[in-house]
Amino acid sequence: EDEQIAAEIMRRRFFPALITHRTWEGFHFAGHEIRITEATDCYGAVVWPSALVLCYFLETNSKQYNLVDKNVIEIGAGTGLVSIVASLLGALVTATDLPELLGNLQHNVLHNTKLKSKHQPCVKELSWGIDLEKNFPRSSCHFDYIMAADVVYHHPFLDELLLTFDHLCKNDTVILWAMKFRLEKENQFVDRFQTLFDLEMISNFPSLNIALYKAMRKGRMKA
């Protein structure tokens, strides 16, 4: 079953029949053809399989995780695929990443959601752990969902990542986090993450080495 579903997820990706001056990949999610412009010079400008896993989950579990009119923030949005799918499913989305990635992210989000989404997504800079209260004040920012795909990968800023999760997450916020396990450092981050949040694996794809987690603040998962 794992391999069958994993194969179905990966079939959602398609490539252009003709080579053009702009490199892009295509995806089928939420009833739309999504075209993502990529860059090969940095990790954040490539679509990784964890993003496909999270998008597939959002699409196939849209009744249980109804995103219509929900406030969603994606951290480490990269090319924006997850943010785009969440937006097409009706969410009010804030897609965030480092400043050098925002141009490509904005292009992808606008190109794939304009006149298609109920709410036009917002693209915003977020450098983990920096100016969090200034840019995302606790008093006015409330997110129903925090989404993350493959944000833990050979990363020197894991302390700042945990701080960012902590700052953005209210008591009723749900974190949906897809992760590919590669290094022991990633397993250690999961252990540290669980000091603040209850963590539940809701999908697992051993053939892809990817797990999808749901998390909430300690003591809130069953509340």
Side-chain angles (χ1 to χ4, degrees):
E1 183 181 5
D2 156 48
E3 293 182 354
Q4 289 177 349
I5 298 176
E8 164 60 21
I9 292 172
M10 300 311 292
R11 279 196 293 269
R12 298 302 184 95
R13 184 195 303 250
F14 68 92
F15 299 93
L18 298 175
I19 302 299
T20 64
H21 69 284
R22 185 183 290 271
T23 303
W24 62 271
E25 287 187 65
F27 303 87
H28 290 291
F29 287 109
H32 291 270
E33 178 183 296
I34 301 167
R35 292 192 177 190
I36 296 293
T37 300
E38 297 184 328
T40 57
D41 55 350
C42 57
Y43 291 127
V46 176
V47 177
W48 299 100
S50 292
L52 275 69
V53 168
L54 182 48
C55 290
Y56 181 83
F57 178 85
L58 295 176
E59 179 189 78
T60 55
N61 293 272
S62 59
K63 290 185 178 180
Q64 182 179 359
Y65 295 88
N66 184 358
L67 299 184
V68 177
D69 298 333
K70 296 297 196 314
N71 282 311
V72 172
I73 186 168
E74 184 186 5
I75 61 174
T79 60
L81 181 61
V82 172
S83 289
I84 291 164
V85 171
S87 178
L88 293 173
L89 291 171
L92 296 96
V93 175
T94 301
T96 71
D97 215 312
L98 297 171
E100 60 265 29
L101 296 173
L102 295 188
N104 189 58
L105 176 58
Q106 178 71 60
H107 168 80
N108 285 330
V109 167
L110 181 63
H111 177 76
N112 289 286
T113 61
K114 188 176 182 180
L115 303 180
K116 300 176 185 177
S117 296
K118 184 177 182 181
H119 308 284
Q120 187 59 42
C122 169
V123 173
K124 193 169 180 178
E125 177 184 344
L126 174 53
S127 299
W128 298 342
I130 298 175
D131 292 333
L132 293 175
E133 182 58 30
K134 175 184 176 182
N135 296 323
F136 299 90
R138 289 180 185 269
S139 60
S140 59
C141 288
H142 181 282
F143 297 107
D144 300 293
Y145 291 93
I146 299 171
M147 297 188 183
D150 239 355
V151 291
V152 183
Y153 172 52
H154 195 57
H155 209 294
F157 300 110
L158 296 183
D159 291 341
E160 291 81 359
L161 174 59
L162 187 58
L163 183 65
T164 301
F165 273 124
D166 185 38
H167 180 85
L168 296 174
C169 189
K170 296 287 198 297
N171 283 341
D172 58 347
T173 302
V174 175
I175 299 171
L176 294 176
W177 171 24
M179 177 174 174
K180 182 164 186 172
F181 288 87
R182 303 178 180 89
L183 306 169
E184 180 59 30
K185 195 172 184 180
E186 294 161 358
N187 296 316
Q188 294 172 2
F189 179 81
V190 172
D191 292 338
R192 294 178 54 210
F193 183 87
Q194 290 184 94
T195 64
L196 298 176
F197 303 99
D198 288 322
L199 194 63
E200 175 189 353
M201 184 185 292
I202 52 179
S203 289
N204 187 27
F205 299 96
S207 61
L208 299 174
N209 205 25
I210 293 173
L212 177 61
Y213 294 101
K214 171 186 175 182
M216 295 184 73
R217 284 207 173 277
K218 281 285 186 182
R220 301 297 301 182
M221 191 78 85
K222 296 182 174 61

